[in-house]
Amino acid sequence: MPNSSSISEFLLLALADTRQLQLLHFWLLLGIYLAALLGNGLISTAVACDHRLHTPMYFFLLNLALLDLGCISTTLPKAMANALWDTRTISYAGCAAQVFFIFFLFSTEYSILTIMAYDRYVA
């Protein structure tokens, strides 16, 4: 008889074991998430609305803010949901998607930071 076991989900380590600390982690992560959304949203709005900021450096800053929104929106909502609902699992497909998006977004972010540094060096 062949072995037909397969992995459908991964177990995650909890940030805390007590319910009060899990709720505290949820509220802290929510505050961090909202602060990142507000800050990057303000940068995006300022660069998009002011015509004087339509230069290459601010174009890269707008893209950097959007990439930062993508990075923080990849993992933090799942961490908040796990803390709020006291769950410790993530599906295999969800884990693979998070790893792919984090790798893609961080590598793109580093590339844009390198381009911004080179742009400042040339200027």
Side-chain angles (χ1 to χ4, degrees):
M1 179 174 233
N3 185 3
S4 62
S5 62
S6 64
I7 297 172
S8 61
E9 57 187 23
F10 293 117
L11 293 176
L12 302 171
L13 291 175
L15 291 174
D17 291 331
T18 61
R19 186 68 183 145
Q20 290 82 13
L21 285 177
Q22 288 174 346
L23 291 175
L24 176 66
H25 284 134
F26 169 76
W27 289 110
L28 287 174
L29 291 174
L30 182 65
I32 291 169
Y33 188 62
L34 291 176
L37 285 176
L38 179 68
N40 289 314
L42 288 174
I43 290 172
S44 301
T45 304
V47 172
C49 291
D50 192 357
H51 70 281
R52 292 173 293 171
L53 300 179
H54 291 177
T55 61
M57 189 64 168
Y58 288 104
F59 171 76
F60 290 131
L61 184 64
L62 173 65
N63 286 321
L64 196 64
L66 294 175
L67 284 171
D68 191 34
L69 281 174
C71 286
I72 202 160
S73 296
T74 301
T75 55
L76 222 53
K78 179 65 177 170
M80 289 188 310
N82 287 344
L84 186 62
W85 293 328
D86 195 21
T87 59
R88 294 186 181 180
T89 60
I90 186 170
S91 69
Y92 179 74
C95 181
Q98 279 188 357
V99 169
F100 171 75
F101 281 122
I102 283 292
F103 178 75
F104 172 73
L105 292 169
F106 275 142
S107 62
T108 308
E109 196 167 327
Y110 289 138
S111 299
I112 287 183
L113 284 171
T114 304
I115 292 169
M116 288 172 72
Y118 184 71
D119 181 55
R120 287 290 96 192
Y121 174 74
V122 169

